[in-house]
Amino acid sequence: MIISILIMKNIVLFFLILFSFQSFAQCDIKSKVQADDSMLYFIKSATFYKTKQKSLKIGIVTDKENYFIALRPIPFPLKKDSNIKEDLVIELSDRNKYKLQHFDTRYIKHDSVMEILYLIDKKDIRPFSSFEAINADVNIPGTEFMENYTFKLHKKAIMDQLNCFLKEEK
């Protein structure tokens, strides 16, 4: 009886430790120096859509002045075929839709990854840090990503990542 109680306590302790490591891993903020010597900060992107043919990752990027939602579509168009200018519309769990202006399309790591940055309006920082993402209207010409996507997994990814950055700033 005493042995089974000790085993149960150890199992509970193990899961508490494991959960705490996962919580800290969420806020693993990384930085990268850009070509113009500016610094960008980011957290590893979360996959919010995936099939055998395509996937779409999403994450928050900041220069500590502005916040961006970064989309990484796979497959993505070649640099010469890329003409992405469309804005991103995201519906949050407050049932409001937010339009994010296209900011930049970047090809990273010698064109092995494409990332599209959408600017989060300063007035929308509070809702994005408070509500889960429900769906997104994605329109990436030259790819298969031209439809409305409902978030099934990682609904809190945008909110959690943004809160990591906001907490660090305080």
PDB file of all heavy atoms in Angstrom, residues 12-23:
ATOM      1  N   VAL A  12       2.736  11.558 -10.351  1.00  0.00           N
ATOM      2  CA  VAL A  12       2.157  12.911 -10.354  1.00  0.00           C
ATOM      3  C   VAL A  12       3.258  13.963 -10.436  1.00  0.00           C
ATOM      4  O   VAL A  12       3.174  14.916 -11.206  1.00  0.00           O
ATOM      5  CB  VAL A  12       1.260  13.121  -9.112  1.00  0.00           C
ATOM      6  CG1 VAL A  12       0.867  14.579  -8.956  1.00  0.00           C
ATOM      7  CG2 VAL A  12       0.029  12.229  -9.176  1.00  0.00           C
ATOM      8  N   LEU A  13       4.312  13.776  -9.646  1.00  0.00           N
ATOM      9  CA  LEU A  13       5.437  14.711  -9.668  1.00  0.00           C
ATOM     10  C   LEU A  13       6.082  14.761 -11.052  1.00  0.00           C
ATOM     11  O   LEU A  13       6.393  15.836 -11.572  1.00  0.00           O
ATOM     12  CB  LEU A  13       6.472  14.310  -8.610  1.00  0.00           C
ATOM     13  CG  LEU A  13       7.685  15.217  -8.476  1.00  0.00           C
ATOM     14  CD1 LEU A  13       7.253  16.623  -8.074  1.00  0.00           C
ATOM     15  CD2 LEU A  13       8.652  14.645  -7.468  1.00  0.00           C
ATOM     16  N   PHE A  14       6.262  13.616 -11.686  1.00  0.00           N
ATOM     17  CA  PHE A  14       6.827  13.544 -13.023  1.00  0.00           C
ATOM     18  C   PHE A  14       5.997  14.360 -14.013  1.00  0.00           C
ATOM     19  O   PHE A  14       6.534  15.151 -14.791  1.00  0.00           O
ATOM     20  CB  PHE A  14       6.925  12.076 -13.474  1.00  0.00           C
ATOM     21  CG  PHE A  14       7.319  11.923 -14.916  1.00  0.00           C
ATOM     22  CD1 PHE A  14       8.628  12.115 -15.323  1.00  0.00           C
ATOM     23  CD2 PHE A  14       6.366  11.615 -15.873  1.00  0.00           C
ATOM     24  CE1 PHE A  14       8.987  11.985 -16.652  1.00  0.00           C
ATOM     25  CE2 PHE A  14       6.716  11.482 -17.204  1.00  0.00           C
ATOM     26  CZ  PHE A  14       8.024  11.666 -17.598  1.00  0.00           C
ATOM     27  N   PHE A  15       4.671  14.182 -13.993  1.00  0.00           N
ATOM     28  CA  PHE A  15       3.818  14.907 -14.922  1.00  0.00           C
ATOM     29  C   PHE A  15       3.787  16.409 -14.624  1.00  0.00           C
ATOM     30  O   PHE A  15       3.716  17.223 -15.544  1.00  0.00           O
ATOM     31  CB  PHE A  15       2.397  14.327 -14.952  1.00  0.00           C
ATOM     32  CG  PHE A  15       2.305  13.069 -15.765  1.00  0.00           C
ATOM     33  CD1 PHE A  15       2.128  11.843 -15.152  1.00  0.00           C
ATOM     34  CD2 PHE A  15       2.432  13.108 -17.143  1.00  0.00           C
ATOM     35  CE1 PHE A  15       2.059  10.682 -15.901  1.00  0.00           C
ATOM     36  CE2 PHE A  15       2.368  11.955 -17.901  1.00  0.00           C
ATOM     37  CZ  PHE A  15       2.184  10.735 -17.284  1.00  0.00           C
ATOM     38  N   LEU A  16       3.864  16.783 -13.356  1.00  0.00           N
ATOM     39  CA  LEU A  16       3.928  18.211 -13.021  1.00  0.00           C
ATOM     40  C   LEU A  16       5.211  18.840 -13.561  1.00  0.00           C
ATOM     41  O   LEU A  16       5.200  19.930 -14.117  1.00  0.00           O
ATOM     42  CB  LEU A  16       3.828  18.412 -11.509  1.00  0.00           C
ATOM     43  CG  LEU A  16       2.454  18.200 -10.896  1.00  0.00           C
ATOM     44  CD1 LEU A  16       2.536  18.281  -9.373  1.00  0.00           C
ATOM     45  CD2 LEU A  16       1.456  19.205 -11.433  1.00  0.00           C
ATOM     46  N   ILE A  17       6.314  18.143 -13.417  1.00  0.00           N
ATOM     47  CA  ILE A  17       7.589  18.639 -13.945  1.00  0.00           C
ATOM     48  C   ILE A  17       7.543  18.706 -15.465  1.00  0.00           C
ATOM     49  O   ILE A  17       7.953  19.700 -16.068  1.00  0.00           O
ATOM     50  CB  ILE A  17       8.765  17.762 -13.460  1.00  0.00           C
ATOM     51  CG1 ILE A  17       8.961  17.947 -11.962  1.00  0.00           C
ATOM     52  CG2 ILE A  17      10.052  18.094 -14.217  1.00  0.00           C
ATOM     53  CD1 ILE A  17       9.926  16.960 -11.337  1.00  0.00           C
ATOM     54  N   LEU A  18       7.029  17.658 -16.093  1.00  0.00           N
ATOM     55  CA  LEU A  18       6.912  17.634 -17.547  1.00  0.00           C
ATOM     56  C   LEU A  18       6.046  18.790 -18.039  1.00  0.00           C
ATOM     57  O   LEU A  18       6.394  19.488 -18.982  1.00  0.00           O
ATOM     58  CB  LEU A  18       6.329  16.296 -18.011  1.00  0.00           C
ATOM     59  CG  LEU A  18       6.181  16.102 -19.516  1.00  0.00           C
ATOM     60  CD1 LEU A  18       7.555  16.103 -20.180  1.00  0.00           C
ATOM     61  CD2 LEU A  18       5.444  14.807 -19.808  1.00  0.00           C
ATOM     62  N   PHE A  19       4.917  19.029 -17.385  1.00  0.00           N
ATOM     63  CA  PHE A  19       4.020  20.120 -17.775  1.00  0.00           C
ATOM     64  C   PHE A  19       4.700  21.473 -17.610  1.00  0.00           C
ATOM     65  O   PHE A  19       4.578  22.346 -18.455  1.00  0.00           O
ATOM     66  CB  PHE A  19       2.731  20.068 -16.958  1.00  0.00           C
ATOM     67  CG  PHE A  19       1.796  21.195 -17.261  1.00  0.00           C
ATOM     68  CD1 PHE A  19       1.092  21.230 -18.456  1.00  0.00           C
ATOM     69  CD2 PHE A  19       1.631  22.246 -16.370  1.00  0.00           C
ATOM     70  CE1 PHE A  19       0.240  22.277 -18.754  1.00  0.00           C
ATOM     71  CE2 PHE A  19       0.780  23.289 -16.657  1.00  0.00           C
ATOM     72  CZ  PHE A  19       0.082  23.308 -17.853  1.00  0.00           C
ATOM     73  N   SER A  20       5.464  21.647 -16.535  1.00  0.00           N
ATOM     74  CA  SER A  20       6.124  22.940 -16.322  1.00  0.00           C
ATOM     75  C   SER A  20       7.178  23.190 -17.388  1.00  0.00           C
ATOM     76  O   SER A  20       7.351  24.306 -17.842  1.00  0.00           O
ATOM     77  CB  SER A  20       6.728  23.021 -14.920  1.00  0.00           C
ATOM     78  OG  SER A  20       7.796  22.115 -14.787  1.00  0.00           O
ATOM     79  N   PHE A  21       7.910  22.150 -17.835  1.00  0.00           N
ATOM     80  CA  PHE A  21       8.882  22.326 -18.907  1.00  0.00           C
ATOM     81  C   PHE A  21       8.190  22.715 -20.200  1.00  0.00           C
ATOM     82  O   PHE A  21       8.675  23.547 -20.946  1.00  0.00           O
ATOM     83  CB  PHE A  21       9.713  21.063 -19.126  1.00  0.00           C
ATOM     84  CG  PHE A  21      10.786  20.858 -18.100  1.00  0.00           C
ATOM     85  CD1 PHE A  21      11.011  19.602 -17.577  1.00  0.00           C
ATOM     86  CD2 PHE A  21      11.561  21.911 -17.648  1.00  0.00           C
ATOM     87  CE1 PHE A  21      12.002  19.407 -16.634  1.00  0.00           C
ATOM     88  CE2 PHE A  21      12.546  21.727 -16.712  1.00  0.00           C
ATOM     89  CZ  PHE A  21      12.771  20.467 -16.197  1.00  0.00           C
ATOM     90  N   GLN A  22       7.046  22.125 -20.487  1.00  0.00           N
ATOM     91  CA  GLN A  22       6.322  22.468 -21.703  1.00  0.00           C
ATOM     92  C   GLN A  22       5.828  23.906 -21.636  1.00  0.00           C
ATOM     93  O   GLN A  22       5.811  24.608 -22.627  1.00  0.00           O
ATOM     94  CB  GLN A  22       5.146  21.513 -21.920  1.00  0.00           C
ATOM     95  CG  GLN A  22       5.586  20.139 -22.350  1.00  0.00           C
ATOM     96  CD  GLN A  22       4.427  19.174 -22.480  1.00  0.00           C
ATOM     97  OE1 GLN A  22       3.346  19.417 -21.953  1.00  0.00           O
ATOM     98  NE2 GLN A  22       4.652  18.089 -23.170  1.00  0.00           N
ATOM     99  N   SER A  23       5.425  24.369 -20.464  1.00  0.00           N
ATOM    100  CA  SER A  23       4.956  25.746 -20.319  1.00  0.00           C
ATOM    101  C   SER A  23       6.090  26.725 -20.602  1.00  0.00           C
ATOM    102  O   SER A  23       5.906  27.729 -21.253  1.00  0.00           O
ATOM    103  CB  SER A  23       4.416  25.989 -18.908  1.00  0.00           C
ATOM    104  OG  SER A  23       3.281  25.192 -18.693  1.00  0.00           O
TER     105      SER A  23
END
